[in-house]
Amino acid sequence: MTITGRTRLCAVIGDPVEHSLSPCIHNAAFKHLGLDYVYVAFRVRYEELEWAIRGVRSLGIHGLNVTMPHKIGVIRYLDRLDPEAELLGAVNTILNDDGALVGYNTDGRGALKALLEVDGDLKAKKVLIIGAGGASRALSFTLAPRVRELTILNRTYGRAKTLAEDLKKKVEGTVRACRLSDETLKEELENSDVVINATPVGMRPNEDETPIPKELLRPGLTVFDLVYNPIETRLLKEAKAAGAKTIDGLTMLVYQGAASFELWTGVEAPVEVMMDAAKRELRRRGIIL
Ligand SMILES: NC(=O)c1ccc[n+]([C@@H]2O[C@H](COP(=O)([O-])OP(=O)(O)OC[C@H]3O[C@@H](n4cnc5c(N)ncnc54)[C@H](OP(=O)(O)O)[C@@H]3O)[C@@H](O)[C@H]2O)c1
């Protein structure tokens, strides 16, 4: 790749950020399509966010991904939000539109695309999300209006309740909140078509853990695990063995990245290339074999 005076710069900002797969994923896609773009990672401390965003304006950086801890805080420095980011109150993508910084959130879109590939018709489905943090929030806002019923099950009931109340105020759809316990998990799973793990349970170094006992898994259920380290979590292995359909977290990660890529370039993202780049990098890091 030749970097010239015309090369457009995209970046991810966060803290920490060194572990991000986004530089590998996006640079592989730019190279594949011969686009004159380059993507880097900047560690931006919480208290330096405002200066970083001023820098984006003054340097004419074209696009940003925003990760923890800046997804909410960055909003006050932007010029506009797209309706999805506005609803969610969180931004993971910024487009520098001729000097105006516009905030988007592609997490829900990425998850929806991954789900639709496996479960074409969501309208009639009952969906259960375990967890009520940032990822659950992004998915809930996208899914609630598109499914028959959405239940949020969380260890801390108050968080699930607050999220459900926010959803009811802002989007269409039937939403319930429940406290996570062995009993509620069993009961809710019996009535669900899709279950999504939006907790870190099962993530390395705790890959022996699972949020759902294998006895509760069955054919006819779709199991979506947002954890992508490892890619095939214990939950996904046991779900496959039980005859359930599965979706891994890397698929969502790549799809939300593809949605950001399309916002910056206006070109359809080469999803296969991005997925291969992510897997190659995870292999290089010894995370997958
Ligand atoms: N694949 C992707 O593209 C993608 C994107 C975003 C996130 N993720 C993954 O999704 C997971 C959640 O991320 P997040 O940003 O939503 O995190 P977060 O905001 O910190 O929320 C974590 C959620 O998990 C629950 N939780 C944590 N430990 C638990 C345990 N031992 N048992 C039961 N519940 C537990 C928390 O419950 P309490 O409220 O009770 O604390 C909370 O609801 C992470 O593994 C992250 O890597 C993947």
Side-chain angles (χ1 to χ4, degrees), residues 151-177:
T151 304
I152 300 157
L153 213 52
N154 197 46
R155 184 175 63 177
T156 309
Y157 172 63
R159 269 182 107 181
K161 186 164 168 269
T162 306
L163 175 54
E165 280 167 2
D166 206 18
L167 283 159
K168 282 181 203 161
K169 264 188 260 158
K170 294 179 178 168
V171 292
E172 301 274 309
T174 308
V175 179
R176 296 188 306 123

Side-chain angles (χ1 to χ4, degrees), residues 44-287:
V44 174
R45 290 187 178 81
Y46 188 73
E47 57 282 8
E48 284 168 2
L49 180 61
E50 182 178 359
W51 292 102
I53 299 301
R54 285 185 192 212
V56 169
R57 291 180 192 279
S58 60
L59 299 172
I61 292 176
H62 182 67
L64 280 188
N65 279 132
V66 182
T67 185
M68 300 308 286
H70 302 311
K71 287 187 172 189
I72 297 169
V74 78
I75 289 175
R76 77 180 79 115
Y77 306 118
L78 303 182
D79 299 302
R80 300 198 299 273
L81 291 183
D82 98 318
E84 221 169 324
E86 176 105 54
L87 266 178
L88 269 172
V91 157
N92 78 341
T93 303
I94 298 171
L95 169 68
N96 187 341
D97 184 12
D98 270 334
L101 299 188
V102 190
Y104 296 84
N105 198 305
T106 63
D107 279 337
R109 245 182 276 178
L112 181 65
K113 183 169 156 56
L115 254 176
L116 286 174
E117 272 183 1
V118 170
D119 243 318
D121 184 15
L122 287 175
K123 226 27 240 120
K125 302 279 164 74
K126 285 183 85 166
V127 176
L128 177 64
I129 301 191
I130 309 173
S136 168
R137 186 176 168 82
L139 265 70
S140 302
F141 270 87
T142 302
L143 293 178
R146 294 178 167 87
V147 301
R148 179 153 62 95
E149 188 179 302
L150 180 72
T151 304
I152 300 157
L153 213 52
N154 197 46
R155 184 175 63 177
T156 309
Y157 172 63
R159 269 182 107 181
K161 186 164 168 269
T162 306
L163 175 54
E165 280 167 2
D166 206 18
L167 283 159
K168 282 181 203 161
K169 264 188 260 158
K170 294 179 178 168
V171 292
E172 301 274 309
T174 308
V175 179
R176 296 188 306 123
C178 262
R179 192 176 70 80
L180 175 64
S181 70
D182 294 348
E183 294 73 39
T184 54
L185 182 62
K186 183 170 186 293
E187 227 166 80
E188 294 299 335
L189 266 173
E190 272 166 11
N191 296 314
S192 297
D193 305 292
V194 177
V195 60
I196 303 172
N197 175 35
T199 78
V201 177
M203 188 161 78
R204 263 201 192 104
N206 301 312
E207 63 262 46
D208 295 341
E209 293 178 2
T210 177
I212 304 174
K214 66 176 178 208
E215 307 74 60
L216 302 184
L217 301 167
R218 55 176 161 78
L221 189 66
T222 297
V223 180
F224 184 0
D225 198 342
L226 300 199
V227 171
Y228 61 87
N229 177 15
I231 300 176
E232 191 169 58
T233 56
R234 175 173 166 195
L235 171 62
L236 292 185
K237 273 190 204 135
E238 292 179 349
K240 262 184 204 159
K245 288 187 266 187
T246 59
I247 307 168
D248 62 56
L250 190 66
T251 304
M252 169 174 161
L253 185 85
V254 168
Y255 285 176
Q256 60 84 21
S260 302
F261 180 97
E262 289 171 1
L263 286 166
W264 299 324
T265 64
V267 173
E268 191 182 334
V271 171
E272 291 292 317
V273 171
M274 296 170 99
M275 183 65 85
D276 287 347
K279 286 187 177 162
R280 215 170 27 250
E281 177 59 12
L282 289 172
R283 222 172 278 126
R284 195 186 67 77
R285 295 182 195 179
I287 287 171

